[in-house]
Amino acid sequence: MTTQGFNQWMSHIQERTEAALARALPAPDIAPARLHEAMRYAVLGGGKRVRPLLVHAAGDVSGGAPERLDRAACAIEMIHAYSLVHDDMPCMDDDTLRRGKPTVHVQFDDATALLVGDALQTLAFQHIAEAQVSDSPQRQLGMIRQLAIASGSRGMAGGQAIDLASVGLQLSLAELEFMHIHKTGALIRASIGLGVQCGRDLGEDELASLDHVGKVIGLLFQVVDDILDAEADTATLGKTAGKDAANDKPTYVSLLGVTRARALAEEMCAEALDRLAAFGQPARRLSELTRFIVQRQF
Ligand code: GRG
């Protein structure tokens, strides 16, 4: 498979995700119009759509139908978008730029940004609950539960709480890993978990192996994010660069330096690819996407 093949696949999934999200979000002229306009502003027209790409790539492994994968992908992207809106607010990271545009609280106001996050989170669960994403209703319930755990205090929101409490502290590598397994990793891991479950039943060993791959890719994503925050510029990232150091946040770069952080990312990538090799051709996109996540420039 050539790189061009992967790039075409990626554009195709990004486009179908954009269209599915545009359909899933309330129309901007439906009351309350300002809230709906702000929700669409937060979600549409930006972002790499890494989590939807992971859902679709993982769905390839179990032969999930694209329409089911769209639904899971949209639910996860809505949760991700909500987390970015809240993370950017003055009470958290206080940022003004996201995906190359003014952040939601800057473009609208703080109260609207808060409600956008709340409404996107609940819409995500509505979206994945109101149509069939699995042959088994029992499995679908399990998927909804998995998404709830990944988003809540034992997942992303909990990781964010640890992050806020860690400013100015010197964390060990194990503590940093614990924070990121939750803050960034949980939703990425759930993207693979949900994508796989949209298709046929896999064996327990296969599911456990793919879950491990999800955990590794989740951490890998954060290591690369820390490197980019230290090395890339604001225009390329579409968000404020250098914020971690400016805010005295512990990162893989502050702990290991760029060279060792890059080596760690490569090591994690090799581990994920090694596991995925056992799944053969159906895991091709997931392998290519793992390499993309390591090599990305934004
Ligand atoms: C507010 C509950 C709550 C959680 C916030 C994920 C998160 C927790 C905050 C985001 C802050 C941040 C920059 C984390 C680093 C990793 C990360 C999630 C980056 C943004 O994700 P990308 O690169 O963004 O996938 P795009 O815009 O491409 O979707």
Side-chain angles (χ1 to χ4, degrees):
M1 176 48 55
T2 62
T3 310
Q4 191 184 22
F6 172 68
N7 287 340
Q8 280 168 349
W9 172 81
M10 198 158 72
S11 301
H12 167 67
I13 300 298
Q14 286 164 335
E15 279 161 25
R16 70 177 292 143
T17 300
E18 183 77 13
L21 285 166
R23 286 192 302 273
L25 287 159
D29 53 348
I30 292 176
R34 186 174 161 80
L35 177 60
H36 291 154
E37 190 198 332
M39 287 165 74
R40 296 180 77 87
Y41 178 89
V43 175
L44 299 176
K48 297 177 288 296
R49 309 298 191 203
V50 164
R51 294 151 196 81
L53 287 162
L54 285 166
V55 170
H56 279 270
D60 272 5
V61 178
S62 59
E67 296 71 25
R68 290 182 177 186
L69 295 167
D70 283 339
R71 212 159 253 280
C74 284
I76 290 186
E77 190 67 10
M78 285 175 197
I79 302 263
H80 170 58
Y82 122 67
S83 81
L84 298 181
V85 173
H86 280 190
D87 183 66
D88 289 333
M89 290 186 69
C91 58
M92 295 212 194
D93 245 18
D94 193 10
D95 217 327
T96 55
L97 188 71
R98 172 69 66 182
R99 294 176 166 175
K101 306 189 290 194
T103 46
V104 174
H105 69 277
V106 169
Q107 183 74 12
F108 294 84
D109 53 73
D110 286 5
T112 303
L114 195 65
L115 291 172
V116 163
D118 295 342
L120 284 176
Q121 180 167 203
T122 49
L123 182 60
F125 288 102
Q126 178 190 336
H127 194 65
I128 198 171
E130 71 187 4
Q132 199 177 13
V133 293
S134 164
D135 288 336
S136 148
Q138 200 59 35
R139 176 143 40 110
Q140 182 153 347
L141 262 184
M143 291 163 76
I144 295 168
R145 181 170 181 270
Q146 186 175 354
L147 184 57
I149 293 171
S151 309
S153 66
R154 304 293 303 276
M156 182 183 73
Q160 178 76 347
I162 301 171
D163 185 319
L164 291 170
S166 305
V167 173
L169 301 183
Q170 179 75 37
L171 297 189
S172 68
L173 197 55
E175 288 167 331
L176 192 67
E177 189 173 294
F178 182 82
M179 175 169 88
H180 288 310
I181 280 175
H182 293 84
K183 183 183 141 184
T184 312
L187 208 55
I188 287 182
R189 193 171 178 177
S191 303
I192 293 180
L194 264 56
V196 165
Q197 291 176 83
C198 286
R200 67 182 163 79
D201 275 336
L202 297 186
E204 271 188 27
D205 287 355
E206 288 178 306
L207 286 175
S209 189
L210 287 167
D211 183 53
H212 183 75
V213 167
K215 183 178 169 187
V216 172
I217 295 178
L219 266 182
L220 166 64
F221 183 91
Q222 184 63 51
V223 178
V224 175
D225 202 76
D226 286 356
I227 296 170
L228 291 174
D229 183 74
E231 291 203 318
D233 57 64
T234 298
T236 309
L237 293 180
K239 61 181 181 181
T240 314
K243 278 209 76 173
D244 294 333
N247 291 341
D248 202 11
K249 279 198 174 180
T251 68
Y252 283 96
V253 171
S254 69
L255 213 61
L256 302 175
V258 169
T259 307
R260 281 176 63 208
R262 177 61 66 193
L264 179 64
E266 293 295 344
E267 219 174 275
M268 289 172 167
C269 178
E271 185 187 348
L273 294 181
D274 190 45
R275 289 259 183 167
L276 290 173
F279 292 88
Q281 192 66 357
R284 179 188 69 191
R285 294 303 185 201
L286 204 44
S287 300
E288 291 171 334
L289 192 51
T290 306
R291 272 190 226 102
F292 167 81
I293 287 171
V294 183
Q295 289 162 3
R296 70 197 168 100
Q297 303 297 321
F298 59 95

